[in-house]
Amino acid sequence: MNDESLSETEIETLRKGATGAGLLVTVSDKSFFDTFKEAGAMAKHLAAAKGGSDSELVRKVSEGRGTGFGVTDSPSEVEAETLEALRSSAELLRDKAPDQLESYRGFVLDLVSSVSSAAEGGEEAEAAAIAKIEAALGSA
């Protein structure tokens, strides 16, 4: 993939899907203290991908700031917008960079796994959120 194949707007869609997926797992379990642990896990995962991913696309997605969500967004808004961004991201990559789809999918699923394992409890709600994320990304 070369840098010019995806616009900054398209990269933002990919970023919103990835960070939204982490946020969706975080908000699926309502524990206040777990939210901090899970947000920290997401930040660490993004930093590691930014500096060490084999995929140029994943590095680019990881280097952005923010999630594309505001503090007043409800969990249902986070879910709807995240799943839409993930579906759009998968479609975009299928069309423009099919060789990067599995790298992106793996990155997002690793990210949500890191977030989910950062704190105890909420496994059932988090598993349901991850299933929705997997469905939005499509099959491997």
Side-chain angles (χ1 to χ4, degrees):
M1 183 195 95
N2 65 35
D3 286 343
E4 293 79 41
S5 63
L6 295 173
S7 71
E8 190 53 41
T9 301
E10 291 166 330
I11 293 293
E12 285 298 320
T13 297
L14 296 171
R15 187 173 295 130
K16 184 172 186 173
T19 57
L23 189 58
L24 179 57
V25 171
T26 297
V27 300
S28 70
D29 174 18
K30 305 269 190 273
S31 172
F32 181 73
F33 291 108
D34 288 353
T35 299
F36 287 109
K37 290 178 188 174
E38 291 167 345
M42 184 164 75
K44 284 180 188 173
H45 193 88
L46 290 170
K50 179 181 172 183
S53 176
D54 291 338
S55 168
E56 178 185 341
L57 174 72
V58 168
R59 288 191 308 271
K60 201 173 229 183
V61 168
S62 299
E63 69 189 18
R65 299 242 181 248
T67 62
F69 294 95
V71 293
T72 60
D73 288 350
S74 71
S76 63
E77 289 172 311
V78 170
E79 180 176 328
E81 290 181 35
T82 294
L83 297 178
E84 179 54 38
L86 289 170
R87 284 189 287 272
S88 296
S89 295
E91 184 178 321
L92 173 72
L93 291 173
R94 271 190 218 92
D95 292 346
K96 288 191 150 188
D99 58 318
Q100 292 297 310
L101 179 56
E102 280 313 305
S103 292
Y104 178 77
R105 188 177 192 281
F107 166 66
V108 172
L109 295 177
D110 286 348
L111 173 66
V112 298
S113 177
S114 292
V115 170
S116 178
S117 63
E120 296 294 319
E123 287 84 4
E124 199 172 299
E126 290 176 352
I130 292 170
K132 290 175 185 178
I133 290 163
E134 288 174 333
L137 285 168
S139 58

